[in-house]
Amino acid sequence: MTTAGANVLLISHSQDDFGIGRVADALRRRGARPVRLDVDRFPRDLTLSTALGAGGVRRRLEGAGAAIGGDEISAVWIRRLWAPSLGEGIPEAYRAACVRESMATLLGWLRGLPARRWINEPAAEERAQDKLRQLAAAASVGLRIPETLVTNDADEVRAFFARLGGNVVAKMLTPFSMSLSGDSPFVFTHAVSAADLDALSGLRQSPMVFQERIPKARELRVACVDGRCFPGALDASRYESIAVDWRHPAVGDAGIGWEQDALPREVEAQLCALLRALGLVFGAVDLIRTPDGEHVFLEVNPAGEWGMLERDLGLPIADALAEALLAPTENP
């Protein structure tokens, strides 16, 4: 596959600018044509069509006066996959069904594209979202993982807490909510106290993840792209007294920013092996570096944020993504 004239589909939402814009610019510099599909503009402002018959299959995307056939798309980057936006005027009794139908149409259209390069292939990304599968795969490639319990059994939690001497955090297995507006509830990782053990009845409504609390020197976000690792780090000693989770607003309010970092070659090799095991080309990996220098795997987000690492640290992640999207396949 040559890069000149290659059409690369970039999938996100209309409020996503920095990361997708940087990748689009990197593709243009390499002679490729980025084609953007903002999911929140479908089905109101974009049209997707899949036609099947005796003549084969024809797929088409049209919007903003431009159109492209599915067989013209050589690579796909699924940056963000949000629910379609229906707008007003739909009775609430039908809204959920319309969203399901729109999403099924979108996913069916995507999965049938004959693109040669994907970041990430939809089925692989869906499988990789399984946090328990991630932890098992990470352990299998030699990464240390925290002791983990997922349960709705309060007695199991109390026994886990006692065995670890109270060094336990709780988190969700999946995102609590997703919203373009950013005003939806969000459940951060938090430390479990002895008092919490008397208030576990809610587990019968929603199981939770309980993990060994790992001592932190630095907390790392590593953007892994097609065999390359781009790490940034936060100084955990500056924020753990105010929040266990670096995503908590209090961490940002304290003026704690991303810093340059480097990984041992063994850890880089393990992260690359993990992504291969999960079938991913890209993943944003969260690690803890302990005070004695050990690296502990927390999770990998197949569509995780990396823009702050490029913006604040100058890491060439957008260029790496563009190169991966335009790389030749083994069987062209």
Side-chain angles (χ1 to χ4, degrees), residues 39-45 82-87 95 99 102 180:
V39 178
D40 59 317
R41 295 179 57 214
F42 176 75
R44 291 184 302 161
D45 304 318
W82 296 89
S85 176
L86 305 180
R95 180 172 291 274
V99 169
S102 297
L180 286 178

Side-chain angles (χ1 to χ4, degrees), residues 185-197:
F186 190 90
V187 178
F188 296 100
T189 301
H190 63 276
V192 178
S193 68
D196 293 328
L197 302 182

Side-chain angles (χ1 to χ4, degrees), residues 161 166-171 188-197 209-213 216 240 242-245:
F161 185 89
N167 292 313
V168 174
V169 297
K171 60 174 69 172
F188 296 100
T189 301
H190 63 276
V192 178
S193 68
D196 293 328
L197 302 182
V209 182
F210 299 89
Q211 282 188 325
E212 168 191 10
R213 184 172 182 175
K216 301 176 184 177
E240 249 208 313
I242 57 175
V244 174
D245 193 327

